[in-house]
Amino acid sequence: MHYLVPNEFLERYAASGTVKTQKSAGTLLALSVLAGALIALGCAATNTAVHGMDNVGLARTVSGLLFPFGLCMVIVTGAELFTGNSLLVLSLLEKKCTLPGLLRNWCLVYLGNFLGALLTAAGCVWFGQLNYSAGGLAVYTIRLAAGKCGISFLSGFGLGIFCNILVCLGVLLALSAQDAAGRLMGAFLPVCYFVLCGFEHCVANMYYISAGLLAVRNPQYLQLAQEAGVDLGALTLSGFLLGNLLPVTLGNILGGAGLGALLWYAHVKKK
């Protein structure tokens, strides 16, 4: 067979949790900074590709075709991504890891993902990557960040659930394949769906909103955004951390861990 059946790839992931939760802090941070940067580069690529498009459906489609390669690179490089690691609940249920080990992994990986995304955002802003279209990319980046900070807590939470169900399905589908092409295609399709639908991913938002917050500190970008009529009221640090990142992170955890628990119960749990 060219693929694994559900109980096989679920058990394989559960076994990997032992290694994931026992890695040194330095290794986890290094691999999670890498993952945050790779996801952020996917965000930067999609923003650049669609910033001049007026057709929302076309822009979402182009973003959906480009962004998933960020997760593909994470999987190929063995980097540590917080949203995917929500599936460590499988390892916990199979007694392949401990709760303290799981929480340690989540905390270190979340911190590293944030740092990787923030460094990428800072580089794009400070080195002039947002200068595309005479600053049009900067305006788009600021508008997108402000919009994400302005969503309600419930919307962020709900959209975060849907997002990480799809992201974790991408991780599992990639794990089910026995060759490189199958792994990449498995990761690609579910992530494409979440981007098309506009669901909320906490690590992606670490780039999107950080880039917007840093861009408004550039007087030229700020002036362009104000001239374009961008509402900057919600684009604050508290809007970022409490208005978006908190509910989206909670939703991502529930979506990924809930999917893992459901699949474990259906396919792995000893009857």
Side-chain angles (χ1 to χ4, degrees):
M1 294 180 67
H2 296 293
Y3 63 92
L4 304 178
V5 296
N7 68 297
E8 291 174 327
F9 65 73
L10 291 168
E11 289 173 355
R12 179 176 290 187
Y13 187 94
S16 74
T18 303
V19 176
K20 280 179 170 290
T21 57
Q22 293 179 356
K23 288 179 180 176
S24 69
T27 299
L28 276 177
L29 283 171
L31 291 175
S32 56
V33 168
L34 173 62
L38 292 174
I39 295 298
L41 290 171
C43 297
T46 58
N47 277 2
T48 304
V50 307
H51 75 275
M53 295 182 182
D54 295 325
N55 186 309
V56 176
L58 178 60
R60 299 311 307 170
T61 300
V62 171
S63 295
L65 293 174
L66 292 175
F67 182 87
F69 288 105
L71 180 62
C72 292
M73 291 188 289
V74 168
I75 290 172
V76 169
T77 59
E80 294 279 342
L81 183 65
F82 174 79
T83 45
N85 283 8
S86 298
L87 286 170
L88 283 173
V89 70
L90 285 166
S91 305
L92 186 65
L93 291 169
E94 280 293 283
K95 298 181 172 59
K96 301 292 187 181
C97 75
T98 64
L99 181 59
L102 179 150
L103 295 176
R104 171 181 174 272
N105 177 280
W106 281 1
C107 290
L108 289 172
V109 170
Y110 193 87
L111 177 63
N113 287 171
F114 206 153
L115 181 57
L118 180 59
L119 289 173
T120 305
C124 288
V125 174
W126 293 342
F127 299 144
Q129 195 269 333
L130 303 188
N131 289 340
Y132 265 94
S133 305
L137 176 55
V139 174
Y140 179 86
T141 300
I142 294 169
R143 180 180 286 112
L144 179 62
K148 286 183 173 293
C149 288
I151 64 174
S152 69
F153 191 97
L154 184 60
S155 291
F157 180 71
L159 296 177
I161 293 174
F162 288 132
C163 169
N164 213 30
I165 289 174
L166 289 168
V167 170
C168 289
L169 280 172
V171 171
L172 293 175
L173 289 178
L175 192 60
S176 74
Q178 299 282 55
D179 56 22
R183 294 189 73 196
L184 296 179
M185 185 58 69
F188 183 92
L189 289 174
V191 176
C192 178
Y193 282 9
F194 110 64
V195 177
L196 277 169
C197 295
F199 297 147
E200 293 286 325
H201 187 273
C202 65
V203 180
N205 288 354
M206 290 171 186
Y207 171 84
Y208 285 130
I209 304 177
S210 293
L213 284 168
L214 291 171
V216 295
R217 297 178 66 85
N218 180 309
Q220 178 185 356
Y221 295 159
L222 176 59
Q223 181 180 351
L224 289 171
Q226 290 172 335
E227 291 173 353
V230 178
D231 183 358
L232 302 174
L235 187 56
T236 63
L237 186 59
S238 63
F240 176 23
L241 299 178
L242 301 179
N244 182 281
L245 209 54
L246 176 61
V248 170
T249 300
L250 293 175
N252 287 167
I253 291 172
L254 180 59
L259 174 70
L262 184 152
L263 292 175
W264 173 83
Y265 179 81
H267 295 294
V268 181
K269 181 184 178 183
K270 308 301 184 289
K271 305 300 182 185

